Amino acid sequence: MNLGHLSDLYRQLILDHAQHPHHRGQLATANQTVNLNNPTCGDVIELSVELKNDRVADIAFNGDGCSISQASASMMTDLVKGQPIAQVRAEIATFLEMLMNDPEVEGADELGDAAILATVVKFPARIKCATLAWKALEQALGEAQQHE
Amino acid sequence: MVKDIATARNDFPILSQQINGQPLTYLDNAATTQKPRSVIDALTHYYEFDNANIHRGVYTLAERATEQYEQVRQQVADFIHADRDEIVFTRGTTTSLNWIALGFGAQVLQPGDDIIITVMEHHSNLVPWQQVALQTGANLRYVELTADGELDLAQYRQLLSKKTKIVAFTHVSNVLGTINPVQLMTQLAHEVGAYVVVDGAQAVGHFPVDMTSLDCDFYAFSGHKVYGPTGVGVLYGKREWLKKMNPVEFGGEMINLVQREITDFKAAPEKFEAGTMPIAQVIGLGAALTYIQKIGWSTIETQERRVTAAAYQLLKEIPGVEIYGPEMGPHRSALVTFNLKGVHPHDLATVLDTQGVAVRAGHHCAQPLMQTLGVSATTRASFGLYNQLSDVKRLAAAVRAAKEFFQV
């Protein structure tokens, strides 16, 4: 059975993150938490973020989902931990643009491991899996702003 | 028209295509079925020759459209052994169930009354009752499952009381495939004076359904799950209850006389059919029921049982596969829901898609059931009359390939 096409989606790096996700859990120090689900499929993410001195000081996630959604959350937490909030906002925008419009968007190479998720564009049914964590983070930062 | 079930597949133009370089293996029939050529032709013919608004025009074309539309009402009545004035056309099962809940349930329920539903309900037979319970102050009670994925009838008997006003449940579970004992459950509900509402979306089209023997008070199903068009459904109600039930939508054609302050409604079924109905779709539904009857129930049932049994067996043989719902037998309808250990259903469905195998992965609009099963999602293969053993073999081979790919 020829599954060659599938390796485009499930690169080894994605499988590694999915099987051994980074920053899984809950933060005792969190000052923002967001629960987001994908109502079409039931994937759930619970993101906890500690924002301090205009930075994402710490971040962790829990939840249940497919390998794409788990890998994406793991890669995202690797990328944004310790970064200034303004930079994280720009990266979220770049990532969403990459998945939803332009897989070769400018700045994609600055997304760390998450840049590899551009391959998901070839599997339109799976784009929402890849964007769930990023949308949760976008919401967490948005809510933090409202409270400022 | 088909004589032999082996060639039924050829009646469905969509099935002759390739998906991702593979023959289309369509196993999502519980979501929607494909349409035979005769249904597609009926829709085209209607728009090319007979299109006019029904019940309004005095001209020949309008007469012709009206006659065809009303003939299908009689055909549906005959198909489920009811009378024509007990058949209301709707947009689909969801609309039918909402209208029953809002137009009838809300009228008969008092604060403190019980509505009994089951944990295996699709959201469309759960959320409307939840809402009506909130509106009326009634309590929602759930029939739970036994270990083998059937309804716990002993617990159901305990739930029934003088307070029970409505019992609503699915004929066939869209996740577990369980065929529920409608006749028995209806009889028990009637003994305490409750009304019985049955969601038939997963039953009609797979085996004969007879309102006179089931004796339920309301029954709902969709056109698009019985090889007919989307956008049309059926609401059956016993004559006396349809008389009592309020319309939920108001507008043209459902009225006898409108005055400035009050309106006199038509009798059922017309009082429920406000506005321009899905005329072409109703006529297409008629063509679909004709197609089913030409193939015949015994042929359909035999083929679907054969295919389901093969799927059950081939999947069960794969290490790491867990199947949900009853054992293969008389209580299982034409679907198999399963999980492959270590592989999320979405990932599995993506692998199957690369092999041309279309299945459903997710919560199947049954979140409370998923919670009861202790899973967030499952994969479902569901069958129609055109599925063959070769489809099932492709499914099993693709699941094995996924297992190898993800090394689980």
Side-chain angles (χ1 to χ4, degrees):
Chain A
M1 193 168 278
N2 177 19
L3 297 179
H5 183 47
L6 267 187
S7 311
D8 287 349
L9 179 62
Y10 297 107
R11 300 285 183 82
Q12 193 55 47
L13 184 62
I14 295 176
L15 293 176
D16 288 346
H17 273 277
Q19 278 154 15
H20 307 286
H22 308 164
H23 309 108
R24 241 193 108 87
Q26 228 172 359
L27 286 185
T29 54
N31 45 23
Q32 284 296 322
T33 56
V34 169
N35 282 293
L36 209 57
N37 72 333
N38 179 347
T40 57
C41 65
D43 278 5
V44 188
I45 187 165
E46 185 194 329
L47 192 68
S48 44
V49 189
E50 183 194 358
L51 302 173
K52 207 161 69 183
N53 304 328
D54 295 327
R55 283 180 182 268
V56 176
D58 206 352
I59 184 166
F61 76 100
N62 259 331
D64 212 12
C66 62
S67 54
I68 302 299
S69 75
Q70 296 295 293
S72 182
S74 172
M75 291 166 169
M76 181 188 80
T77 52
D78 275 356
L79 177 70
V80 303
K81 188 175 167 178
Q83 286 187 335
I85 290 174
Q87 185 183 349
V88 173
R89 281 190 213 283
E91 285 163 352
I92 293 171
T94 303
F95 183 84
L96 295 178
E97 176 69 13
M98 177 177 86
L99 266 290
M100 298 195 285
N101 274 321
D102 176 11
E104 288 165 21
V105 65
E106 199 179 327
D109 50 347
E110 283 152 35
L111 295 174
D113 285 357
I116 202 173
L117 290 169
T119 60
V120 177
V121 172
K122 286 187 227 161
F123 297 81
R126 307 300 300 279
I127 290 173
K128 279 185 182 163
C129 310
T131 55
L132 185 65
W134 300 74
K135 292 203 163 152
L137 182 56
E138 186 179 44
Q139 202 175 313
L141 298 182
E143 283 171 12
Q145 196 170 32
Q146 281 169 12
H147 295 154
E148 275 164 15
Chain B
M1 193 50 72
V2 215
K3 303 276 189 301
D4 178 7
I5 196 72
T7 60
R9 190 183 163 92
N10 302 336
D11 297 334
F12 294 77
I14 203 171
L15 297 177
S16 63
Q17 69 184 303
Q18 298 226 321
I19 296 279
N20 296 319
Q22 304 286 333
L24 170 57
T25 300
Y26 185 77
L27 302 178
D28 197 15
N29 294 285
T32 195
T33 53
Q34 302 302 345
K35 320 306 171 198
R37 169 61 68 195
S38 59
V39 169
I40 299 167
D41 285 349
L43 291 171
T44 309
H45 187 276
Y46 170 75
Y47 282 125
E48 282 184 353
F49 299 101
D50 304 327
N51 179 51
N53 212 332
I54 52 170
H55 300 306
R56 289 165 173 84
V58 290
Y59 48 91
T60 308
L61 207 55
E63 271 303 308
R64 208 193 285 163
T66 305
E67 193 186 321
Q68 287 180 40
Y69 180 89
E70 288 303 328
Q71 263 171 11
V72 177
R73 198 190 304 276
Q74 185 61 52
Q75 192 184 357
V76 170
D78 295 343
F79 194 80
I80 62 169
H81 302 267
D83 289 328
R84 82 160 278 292
D85 59 351
E86 296 175 315
I87 303 297
V88 180
F89 288 120
T90 67
R91 275 199 308 280
T93 305
T94 299
T95 307
S96 302
L97 293 168
N98 271 278
W99 286 5
I100 296 163
L102 298 169
F104 190 82
Q107 191 188 143
V108 299
L109 287 161
Q110 299 292 326
D113 284 346
D114 282 347
I115 304 169
I116 298 180
I117 63 172
T118 86
V119 78
M120 64 165 74
E121 296 314 305
H122 186 283
H123 294 164
S124 61
N125 198 31
L126 190 159
V127 184
W129 298 113
Q130 214 175 44
Q131 295 307 308
V132 167
L134 289 171
Q135 264 178 37
T136 59
N139 299 309
L140 200 56
R141 312 269 179 214
Y142 282 86
V143 182
E144 303 291 336
L145 300 183
T146 61
D148 51 0
E150 299 192 23
L151 290 177
D152 185 341
L153 293 178
Q155 186 231 347
Y156 171 58
R157 283 173 197 266
Q158 283 171 358
L159 283 178
L160 286 167
S161 76
K162 287 270 171 272
K163 287 200 293 185
T164 312
K165 279 282 156 49
I166 289 177
V167 178
F169 56 92
T170 190
H171 196 161
V172 173
S173 161
N174 71 315
V175 176
L176 302 168
T178 317
I179 303 174
N180 290 319
V182 176
Q183 213 173 359
L184 171 66
M185 290 177 71
T186 300
Q187 192 191 324
L188 293 171
H190 283 167
E191 281 170 16
V192 298
Y195 300 101
V196 176
V197 180
V198 179
D199 170 358
Q202 301 295 341
V204 180
H206 294 285
F207 49 82
V209 168
D210 182 340
M211 291 307 119
T212 55
S213 67
L214 295 181
D215 197 33
C216 55
D217 300 291
F218 296 95
Y219 196 92
F221 67 96
S222 293
H224 72 101
K225 291 192 205 283
V226 297
Y227 312 102
T230 55
V232 59
V234 171
L235 186 172
Y236 158 84
K238 281 184 180 167
R239 185 176 293 110
E240 51 188 319
W241 308 139
L242 287 186
K243 193 174 171 193
K244 188 178 163 93
M245 179 168 147
N246 294 322
V248 171
E249 291 182 5
F250 306 91
E253 272 312 305
M254 47 88 68
I255 51 91
N256 276 330
L257 182 68
V258 178
Q259 292 167 296
R260 284 191 176 217
E261 308 300 333
I262 55 160
T263 293
D264 180 34
F265 302 135
K266 280 185 179 162
E270 284 80 9
K271 76 171 170 183
F272 299 104
E273 298 180 358
T276 297
M277 294 297 288
I279 306 164
Q281 288 78 359
V282 165
I283 289 165
L285 172 61
L289 299 185
T290 301
Y291 179 82
I292 289 172
Q293 281 165 326
K294 280 193 178 161
I295 293 195
W297 284 123
S298 74
T299 309
I300 293 172
E301 288 181 89
T302 306
Q303 178 67 2
E304 288 190 354
R305 204 172 303 126
R306 215 168 124 231
V307 167
T308 309
Y312 189 90
Q313 188 55 36
L314 288 177
L315 289 169
K316 205 175 155 190
E317 284 167 6
I318 301 173
V321 165
E322 183 179 3
I323 295 177
Y324 303 97
E327 292 283 314
M328 192 59 222
H331 294 175
R332 175 179 278 273
S333 185
L335 64 89
V336 180
T337 294
F338 63 100
N339 264 327
L340 175 61
K341 198 169 180 231
V343 181
H344 190 278
H346 285 174
D347 296 318
L348 182 59
T350 294
V351 177
L352 299 192
D353 183 46
T354 63
Q355 303 306 308
V357 180
V359 294
R360 179 79 180 269
H363 56 58
H364 316 290
C365 299
Q367 286 176 338
L369 176 57
M370 294 290 120
Q371 285 154 18
T372 305
L373 296 174
V375 295
S376 64
T378 58
T379 309
R380 177 186 69 196
S382 55
F383 310 105
L385 64 87
Y386 37 67
N387 287 121
Q388 305 281 331
L389 291 180
S390 56
D391 292 327
V392 172
K393 286 180 187 155
R394 277 200 198 92
L395 166 69
V399 172
R400 285 183 186 272
K403 193 171 153 62
E404 205 166 298
F405 184 83
F406 290 106
Q407 298 174 345
V408 293

